[in-house]
Amino acid sequence: MSIDLTTMPKLGFGLMRLPTKDEQIDTEQVCRMVDAYLAAGLNYFDTAYVYHGGNSEKVVKAALSSRHPRDSYTLATKLPAWCMKEEADRDRILEEQLERCGVSYFDFYLLHSVEEGGNGETYDRLGCWQWGIQKKAEGKIRHFGFSFHGSPEYLEQLLDAHPEVEFVQIQLNYADWENPVVRSGRLYEILHARGIPMIIMEPVKGGTLAKLTPDLEAKFKAVHPDRSIASWALRFVGSLPGVMTILSGMSAPEQMADNIGTFTHFEPLTEQEQAVVEEVRGIMMGVPQIGCTACRYCTDGCPMNIAIPDVFRAVNTMNLYHEEFRPKSFYGNLVSQGHGRAGDCIACGQCEGVCPQHLPIIELLKQASAMLDK
């Protein structure tokens, strides 16, 4: 069954950051948000086995499947590599998900967080790609794809190896377009060139693009005083060809109302508006960075096998985007692949002797270790 992009809602309801009350999901609030979302003519819900400690899938049953006809919505969830040890876990988890959500099939099913190393190897080792095709044939999955957090090179390898994939979910927003770890611009280009539909996560970067520094917000407000800062991030993504659905982890009715307003009679960014986004991104990118050009002259002779340019990429990303999870995950993958930690440096000076940029690498690695090895 092919995916008809024209029938997919631009705004998807991501169920990862749901409203809570007394440290539990506020089911009554979720019910009201679900009703408002469906009433706006939207119908794509995205959850996962691990969201809210498994309770996100349970609230699907309480707020959606037990209250609305099955043909009135589409539902996506994900198979987590880190919760599986053997092939039997695939069916165990899927059956648990169907029971939790109160449905007999999922419209969209994803291998969760595919990337180099652990997760990618687990999906290969447990035959999850072939298993997904089998579940489609059984009618328990309508569309099969994966969410991705790896490199552009690895994405191309996966797409070459698995032509059965119908869609891919990636992190994409205007701040991450040239992020040296996320590299969402390049991921988008690869998928768009191949005509593969995209589901977009983190369009507002976990909410960080909904509230900027006053000087940056002023640039947006000068053009549209009455529009939210978040709407700029959503319209940036929504203006890109090939984007199927944009997930927003809405945790309050006010956020939902604003997002629905953005996508009702959706207006792509004009050239003038795109220029403002580029200006804001340029200012954000102006944070001081380690001036490494990744020539990699320093790595061949490193006795501790430290992937120095990649370590510096992680540090630059942390400084620029003020986030830790993704850069530290990227760094952790380097170490798991056999590279030394930044703190393993023995200060031999080999790297500094060959660096064309004359960087104080030994001192920079000490600083990197303080950020990444703690």
Side-chain angles (χ1 to χ4, degrees), residues 199-219:
I199 297 174
I200 304 303
M201 54 185 159
E202 303 293 354
V204 193
K205 201 170 174 62
T208 60
L209 300 183
K211 185 173 178 59
L212 304 175
T213 57
D215 59 320
L216 295 182
E217 289 196 0
K219 294 185 180 299

Side-chain angles (χ1 to χ4, degrees), residues 75-302:
L75 180 61
T77 194
K78 311 172 187 75
L79 182 72
W82 54 98
C83 295
M84 298 188 294
K85 294 183 179 179
E86 57 187 14
E87 290 185 0
D89 290 329
R90 303 171 306 185
D91 282 319
R92 174 184 62 80
I93 290 174
L94 175 59
E95 293 303 320
E96 185 179 353
Q97 291 175 307
L98 292 168
E99 172 61 28
R100 281 181 178 178
C101 294
V103 296
S104 60
Y105 67 90
F106 290 110
D107 300 276
F108 295 82
Y109 199 79
L110 301 83
L111 301 185
H112 199 168
S113 191
V114 180
E115 58 188 342
E116 292 93 333
N119 290 354
E121 292 174 359
T122 297
Y123 294 127
D124 289 340
R125 176 172 59 84
L126 298 181
C128 294
W129 304 95
Q130 297 82 356
W131 173 85
I133 298 173
Q134 177 188 339
K135 295 299 120 176
K136 275 190 64 179
E138 294 175 9
K140 294 186 176 182
I141 298 171
R142 295 288 176 86
H143 299 291
F144 182 56
F146 61 93
S147 66
F148 188 73
H149 286 292
S151 69
E153 295 77 15
Y154 186 46
L155 176 61
E156 292 191 293
Q157 291 176 24
L158 288 174
L159 297 176
D160 288 341
H162 300 290
E164 69 274 16
V165 166
E166 298 174 83
F167 66 96
V168 177
Q169 183 168 307
I170 61 170
Q171 177 174 328
L172 192 155
N173 52 69
Y174 68 76
D176 281 330
W177 191 257
E178 296 178 352
N179 182 321
V181 172
V182 180
R183 300 167 74 181
S184 61
R186 180 61 186 138
L187 298 180
Y188 167 80
E189 291 168 356
I190 290 169
L191 293 168
H192 184 50
R194 293 176 179 238
I196 297 175
M198 286 167 265
I199 297 174
I200 304 303
M201 54 185 159
E202 303 293 354
V204 193
K205 201 170 174 62
T208 60
L209 300 183
K211 185 173 178 59
L212 304 175
T213 57
D215 59 320
L216 295 182
E217 289 196 0
K219 294 185 180 299
F220 287 140
K221 290 296 185 181
V223 180
H224 292 298
D226 56 336
R227 293 187 179 179
S228 70
I229 302 303
S231 71
W232 285 83
L234 292 170
R235 291 178 62 219
F236 172 83
V237 179
S239 300
L240 297 170
V243 168
M244 184 168 71
T245 293
I246 302 164
L247 299 176
S248 179
M250 297 171 279
S251 57
E254 297 78 17
Q255 294 175 3
M256 174 164 285
D258 181 59
N259 289 352
I260 289 175
T262 297
F263 285 97
T264 300
H265 309 300
F266 178 78
E267 298 176 6
L269 291 176
T270 64
E271 289 187 11
Q272 177 196 11
E273 292 169 333
Q274 185 68 49
V276 176
V277 171
E278 293 289 343
E279 181 184 3
V280 168
R281 178 166 61 203
I283 294 172
M284 294 172 69
M285 295 290 289
V287 175
Q289 302 278 283
I290 297 174
C292 174
T293 60
C295 68
R296 312 197 81 85
Y297 295 165
C298 58
T299 58
D300 289 344
C302 178

